Amino acid sequence: MDVVYVREWEKQDQVRSYVLPTPYVCSWSCRNVLAFAGPVQGPWSDASLVRPIHVVDPDRPWDVHSLCTQHGEDIVALEWDPSGTQLLSAGRFGEVKLWSMKDYLVNDWHLVTSVDLDGEEIVTLQWLHVGGRLTLNNMNMNSTVFNEKITHQSYAPSLSEFGGKACNGWVAVTATGMVYITALSKDGMPTTVSECLGNVRSRVVVADAAFTVKGFVIIALSDGNSMSPVKFYKLKLSNVNEKCTMHIEPLPSFFLRCAVDPNKKEKYTNVTHVKFEHREGVEQVVVVVSGTNSSTIEVWGLRNEPVTLHKIFQPQAPAGKQPMAVKWGSLTTIADRPLVTALAVPKLPVQSSNLVESKGYDTKFFNGSALAIAFQDGNIHLVQRLTLHTLAMFSLDSWQRGLDETSAKRQRLSAFRFLSCCELSGTCCGLMGVDPGGRLYVFRLTPSLTQNVDPVLPIRHVVSLLEYCMLSGWDCWDVLLVVGPGMVESVIDKLTDNYCQQNPALQQIHLTRFVAIKAALYRLTNNGGGKSADCYAKLLLNAISSSLKALLRPTQLGSQDRGPSEKLAVLCSKSTETDLDKVMINLETKEFVIEPATLQSLQQLIQWVGDFTLYLLSLLPTQQGMPNRVGSTLLRDAQFLQMLRELLVMVRIWGLIKSSCLPVFTATSDNLDSLQLLFKLLTKAWMCAKEERLSIDWDDSLVDECCLLPSRMMVPNLDSPPPAEGIMARPQSKQPILVQVGNAPGQTTSLMMSYPSSDPMWRSGGEHLSHDIVRRVHLGVSPAEDVKQCSRCSSTSLLKSFAKTSAQKAWDQRWARQCLCGGQWRKVTEDDD
């Protein structure tokens, strides 16, 4: 367990003291966005903000967005929704607010709705299950087939609308034993119903909620007294006449082992944590009981036990079948540990046998089967969920003693050397935590934690997690934390081999995610900028190709023949004709007719295709013996070159309809047919690349003609974006990075290289010209309109869409949720200038 960075929330040379720090709450979304809330007035908080929630992109921890919630009391719960775009916040006395990202901007939020739970003190808050989940099969890690390694399980939603559609909402348990279910209608209006858990109201101190395969909600709770039982209830929700109804059924409970042990019942008196070991697993529960100076941790599990029948009823029992009853049984107990201050359970759904796990993590893969426990002495333990065997440990106390800090600051932090809250990331490769002094910690958790393991195992584990992110749509930033520079090539090779073994339909579905993950991996190496740029160019060209081909329609709607795009692909895959006009003769050009206004609205994308083809061909003479240069992997990819040929044919046909939509080139001769020349050279390069040899011997005539390209046409300059400033843009180090609010650490490196636009991006004075990476247009030095920026690659785009045609709107909508590289969009404010 390594600490990646520690975030200082206090300003420099500003020291304040606290007597009773307010506990923090935190949450980590599947899009790798962190949110936490704490004291009303912290050393870094703006006095004008009332109960703020702080939203942080972990790749840019110094860039914080504080959301003023206007909660009347302290915030006691934060929960991300499954999509990672909405956030629930709960005040101490019954005020629940739903926040949503505005236009998917990580630093722009708005209030969707607010619900008051009659002033009840909220103990726990959870989103309702929306049905279905992907499970990583721990026992099939060696398999190369996605469907065997990552399986889809049919989970019934907790609350369904008409037709079985899942209904969004949340469940809350209060301190008086009430449970509240809030359902959201299609227009976002909340409807809340409440029931009492049990026959009468009773005191509840800690509680948790989990969900079953059949859609039931299971509630575990305790009144805080170790002598009282830990109780369980099953909630069955239904939607009758557009009204939510709830049926509550009590389940078997259990008494803690420390309560029946005469040597411990006086020592451990308070139940401080009750947690299911997974949100979608009700078979195990973790209970923490604390005393004055120490804690004990107990793990309980459901098991089937035979029921002995009275001899009167034995003749009526089926032959050979003994009745079974589900009961709670104690699995593991550890005692005499320091006070537990925080407990985090895994989010990654892992399918494995309890027998394998109980023998001591024989698979050497801890993700999804380990708990993170923070103690008051500053130690953080990662333990196996069944045996509670320690897999890794980190000491905040010893680490902070080694910091070079002033004596006053050291004295102030001495009381805060523990985490008041912590949470694991989606893939369990990262752990976030906040101490009572307001420091944010992010830890790197390597999937293979045992000693002397097979060197292939870490590669296999990382590849499995990346494949899970590919299929589930989760952001893979936390997985990249554990990928060292020496592992990148092996991980990419293994990931590519597994991807190529899938059926073509599955490859096409996940192509965009696959290429984006490869690009992110290449950016982790010092010499991977060229290959990373090739991946981004491939992403963009695939998107342009699919968008332009989607505009084509067959002349006869009921025809069973191939569509125009399919006919074009077949023709370009077989024809070696270098004359563009002769290729057009074999096509029915009337199938390629599109409205002129639509073609004109997409001219910038067509221009980029032409500029990119010209730039790529101009690099061909310099590729010999330079595998890491920009364009090296693309010039060896026959499928990619064929896609470019298809686009040039389509552009040529559309030029007959609307000449102004054609790409514009600056040529030395007025009689030069630029598209014809590019198509001829591209066809020759494609013919060399499709031979599938390790080293391509380019035709001498092709190399000579490509060498003459800069003298015949002006080759566009490389579009160089601002340097990436994130944590991933810095070389990995075992030493943590210390950052402060608003102060980005130095030594940034630009590992991403983008592909060209038609104009140089830097003026002589050093001013950077903003470029819209989505619409492929220049915005100038100071754009007049609002701009959004990617938090990973620092690329920019206009915040507001000015599209007029449906094709242009569809293109803008494609990148509304995230950047081309998969990063989060953030709104550029005046403070960023």
Side-chain angles (χ1 to χ4, degrees):
M1 180 186 295
D2 300 324
V3 60
V4 179
Y5 60 76
V6 180
R7 176 172 181 167
E8 288 278 3
W9 289 96
E10 56 269 21
K11 302 292 184 181
Q12 290 182 343
D13 303 327
Q14 184 179 4
V15 178
R16 298 188 184 184
S17 61
Y18 297 90
V19 179
L20 294 175
T22 304
Y24 283 78
V25 289
C26 60
S27 186
W28 192 323
S29 77
C30 64
R31 299 183 70 189
N32 282 318
V33 180
L34 315 182
F36 67 98
V40 178
Q41 292 296 329
W44 38 263
S45 296
D46 189 347
S48 62
L49 298 180
V50 179
R51 272 84 185 188
I53 298 175
H54 308 286
V55 181
V56 184
D57 187 328
D59 201 47
R60 298 168 59 95
W62 52 87
D63 186 13
V64 60
H65 175 68
S66 296
L67 177 64
C68 182
T69 64
Q70 300 291 336
H71 272 291
E73 297 293 337
D74 294 337
I75 298 175
V76 296
L78 288 176
E79 287 293 332
W80 289 98
D81 76 324
S83 67
T85 59
Q86 292 186 321
L87 183 65
L88 277 178
S89 65
R92 183 176 299 277
F93 296 117
E95 189 179 15
V96 180
K97 294 187 177 184
L98 175 60
W99 306 89
S100 179
M101 291 183 183
K102 187 176 181 180
D103 298 327
Y104 300 103
L105 300 174
V106 73
N107 62 344
D108 194 3
W109 293 77
H110 70 279
L111 180 64
V112 177
T113 187
S114 178
V115 177
D116 186 11
L117 305 184
D118 304 325
E120 293 277 347
E121 181 179 354
I122 296 177
V123 177
T124 188
L125 182 70
Q126 287 278 358
W127 284 90
L128 295 178
H129 203 288
V130 294
R133 73 165 183 173
L134 288 178
T135 303
L136 183 62
N137 195 329
N138 201 2
M139 297 173 287
N140 289 340
M141 296 289 286
N142 297 331
S143 176
T144 59
V145 181
F146 287 169
N147 293 335
E148 295 179 359
K149 186 186 303 184
I150 302 171
T151 58
H152 183 273
Q153 291 187 337
S154 299
Y155 258 70
S158 302
L159 183 61
S160 301
E161 297 178 353
F162 177 78
K165 181 182 177 181
C167 180
N168 290 326
W170 56 85
V171 54
V173 179
T174 66
T176 61
M178 296 291 294
V179 57
Y180 288 80
I181 301 295
T182 301
L184 297 177
S185 61
K186 295 180 181 180
D187 56 357
M189 295 301 295
T191 302
T192 303
V193 296
S194 61
E195 291 288 344
C196 179
L197 293 170
N199 296 326
V200 294
R201 290 198 184 191
S202 59
R203 182 170 179 260
V204 177
V205 175
V206 289
D208 194 21
F211 306 92
T212 67
V213 177
K214 296 183 179 181
F216 300 132
V217 183
I218 307 299
I219 304 293
L221 55 87
S222 171
D223 63 0
N225 189 349
S226 61
M227 303 299 294
S228 301
V230 178
K231 300 179 181 179
F232 296 86
Y233 296 91
K234 181 174 71 173
L235 277 62
K236 182 179 180 181
L237 309 180
S238 58
N239 203 337
V240 180
N241 297 328
E242 298 184 355
K243 292 184 179 180
C244 178
T245 60
M246 180 179 6
H247 175 72
I248 301 177
E249 178 183 345
L251 297 178
S253 59
F254 62 83
F255 284 91
L256 298 168
R257 293 186 63 181
C258 63
V260 297
D261 190 340
N263 299 324
K264 296 180 179 180
K265 65 180 182 179
E266 299 294 337
K267 185 177 182 180
Y268 303 109
T269 57
N270 300 320
V271 178
T272 57
H273 298 82
V274 173
K275 288 271 190 181
F276 287 104
E277 289 192 338
H278 197 275
R279 182 175 181 265
E280 297 163 333
V282 298
E283 292 80 14
Q284 287 93 28
V285 65
V286 183
V287 183
V288 179
V289 189
S290 301
T292 306
N293 299 312
S294 60
S295 297
T296 179
I297 306 172
E298 298 185 11
V299 179
W300 290 73
L302 285 174
R303 58 191 180 191
N304 291 324
E305 293 185 354
V307 177
T308 303
L309 297 177
H310 193 273
K311 60 182 181 179
I312 298 178
F313 302 102
Q314 287 179 358
Q316 301 179 6
K321 293 185 179 180
Q322 187 175 9
M324 307 293 289
V326 178
K327 295 183 179 180
W328 288 99
S330 177
L331 301 179
T332 312
T333 300
I334 56 174
D336 299 327
R337 295 299 177 94
L339 286 174
V340 174
T341 58
L343 174 66
V345 296
K347 300 178 182 177
L348 180 66
V350 175
Q351 181 181 355
S352 61
S353 64
N354 292 339
L355 179 62
V356 172
E357 294 186 13
S358 63
K359 289 183 178 179
Y361 54 92
D362 291 345
T363 58
K364 302 180 177 64
F365 179 74
F366 90 91
N367 296 62
S369 59
L371 311 174
I373 305 175
F375 297 95
Q376 195 176 34
D377 62 354
N379 290 330
I380 304 169
H381 287 228
L382 201 67
V383 299
Q384 212 281 333
R385 66 174 185 175
L386 295 181
T387 64
L388 296 182
H389 177 82
T390 300
L391 304 175
M393 185 186 72
F394 185 84
S395 176
L396 288 180
D397 184 71
S398 60
W399 175 76
Q400 288 184 358
R401 290 179 187 274
L403 293 180
D404 184 16
E405 297 175 304
T406 62
S407 58
K409 189 175 180 180
R410 188 192 304 272
Q411 182 179 3
R412 177 171 56 85
L413 293 175
S414 62
F416 299 149
R417 288 177 180 155
F418 62 89
L419 299 183
S420 62
C421 67
C422 63
E423 182 155 344
L424 291 164
S425 66
T427 61
C428 301
C429 289
L431 174 70
M432 71 171 295
V434 185
D435 66 14
R439 278 188 168 188
L440 171 65
Y441 298 80
V442 174
F443 300 89
R444 178 190 301 113
L445 307 179
T446 306
S448 304
L449 297 174
T450 54
Q451 300 293 331
N452 301 321
V453 299
D454 185 353
V456 180
L457 280 181
I459 305 297
R460 188 183 303 156
H461 294 162
V462 170
V463 169
S464 298
L465 293 174
L466 290 175
E467 290 171 349
Y468 185 88
C469 292
M470 186 193 311
L471 270 65
S472 65
W474 288 7
D475 185 69
C476 64
W477 183 90
D478 51 337
V479 183
L480 299 179
L481 280 178
V482 303
V483 181
M487 298 172 56
V488 172
E489 292 296 336
S490 299
V491 170
I492 291 178
D493 292 342
K494 181 65 175 176
L495 183 65
T496 304
D497 292 342
N498 292 352
Y499 175 80
C500 294
Q501 295 184 31
Q502 313 307 314
N503 61 74
L506 193 62
Q507 291 185 30
Q508 187 66 27
I509 292 174
H510 302 294
L511 176 63
T512 300
R513 293 285 301 167
F514 169 69
V515 179
I517 291 175
K518 283 184 62 177
L521 288 170
Y522 280 126
R523 291 177 61 188
L524 299 179
T525 60
N526 294 328
N527 58 353
K531 293 183 178 180
S532 176
D534 288 350
C535 291
Y536 289 127
K538 190 173 183 179
L539 275 175
L540 184 57
L541 193 70
N542 277 321
I544 293 176
S545 177
S546 60
S547 297
L548 296 182
K549 289 181 179 180
L551 301 176
L552 305 179
R553 296 290 185 271
T555 54
Q556 297 180 1
L557 296 179
S559 176
Q560 299 297 323
D561 298 335
R562 294 170 176 168
S565 60
E566 296 173 339
K567 294 179 182 178
L568 176 61
V570 172
L571 176 63
C572 290
S573 65
K574 296 179 180 180
S575 175
T576 58
E577 178 61 54
T578 58
D579 192 334
L580 185 56
D581 294 329
K582 292 183 179 179
V583 175
M584 291 172 50
I585 296 177
N586 298 320
L587 293 172
E588 297 183 15
T589 55
K590 61 181 181 180
E591 293 184 339
F592 293 83
V593 175
I594 299 176
E595 290 291 333
T598 301
L599 293 177
Q600 189 61 43
S601 66
L602 301 175
Q603 198 277 333
Q604 295 296 336
L605 301 182
I606 297 174
Q607 180 70 45
W608 184 87
V609 172
D611 290 342
F612 172 75
T613 305
L614 175 59
Y615 181 81
L616 186 64
L617 291 173
S618 68
L619 295 177
L620 188 143
T622 64
Q623 296 300 317
Q624 196 67 26
M626 303 290 289
N628 294 323
R629 280 186 68 95
V630 175
S632 61
T633 58
L634 299 181
L635 287 170
R636 291 170 171 81
D637 190 344
Q639 186 177 3
F640 180 81
L641 297 179
Q642 179 183 330
M643 189 188 306
L644 270 178
R645 295 176 68 233
E646 296 173 12
L647 289 176
L648 291 184
V649 174
M650 294 169 58
V651 170
R652 184 72 161 199
I653 298 175
W654 290 340
L656 302 176
I657 303 173
K658 184 77 173 178
S659 59
S660 59
C661 75
L662 290 173
V664 179
F665 301 100
T666 304
T668 57
S669 174
D670 295 337
N671 298 326
L672 180 64
D673 190 345
S674 302
L675 277 182
Q676 169 60 38
L677 177 61
L678 293 179
F679 184 82
K680 181 182 72 172
L681 298 180
L682 192 62
T683 301
K684 291 183 178 180
W686 167 72
M687 294 171 61
C688 296
K690 72 175 184 177
E691 296 179 3
E692 297 183 354
R693 291 181 297 181
L694 294 178
S695 59
I696 299 177
D697 296 329
W698 303 108
D699 185 69
D700 293 338
S701 62
L702 173 63
V703 175
D704 294 339
E705 290 189 75
C706 290
C707 288
L708 294 176
L709 265 181
S711 63
R712 305 180 68 180
M713 303 170 62
M714 189 180 74
V715 180
N717 293 323
L718 191 68
D719 174 13
S720 178
E725 300 176 348
I727 297 297
M728 289 301 176
R730 291 165 171 77
Q732 283 195 9
S733 173
K734 292 185 178 180
Q735 297 298 325
I737 303 173
L738 300 177
V739 298
Q740 290 185 335
V741 173
N743 297 326
Q747 299 179 353
T748 60
T749 57
S750 180
L751 296 181
M752 175 190 173
M753 298 177 65
S754 180
Y755 272 101
S757 153
S758 56
D759 297 324
M761 296 302 296
W762 295 91
R763 289 185 175 177
S764 58
E767 295 177 323
H768 181 69
L769 300 177
S770 298
H771 181 78
D772 193 325
I773 193 174
V774 173
R775 301 167 184 86
R776 314 308 303 180
V777 294
H778 296 313
L779 304 178
V781 178
S782 300
E785 301 293 335
D786 292 335
V787 174
K788 59 185 178 182
Q789 186 181 48
C790 177
S791 60
R792 305 290 165 83
C793 68
S794 299
S795 299
T796 57
S797 178
L798 286 176
L799 181 60
K800 184 179 178 181
S801 175
F802 295 93
K804 296 181 179 179
T805 63
S806 58
Q808 201 173 8
K809 292 177 181 178
W811 175 258
D812 292 349
Q813 190 64 29
R814 180 187 288 265
W815 312 109
R817 191 180 184 90
Q818 59 187 14
C819 176
L820 182 67
C821 69
Q824 312 285 339
W825 289 117
R826 54 182 293 270
K827 185 177 180 179
V828 178
T829 60
E830 296 180 357
D831 297 336
D832 300 324
D833 297 336

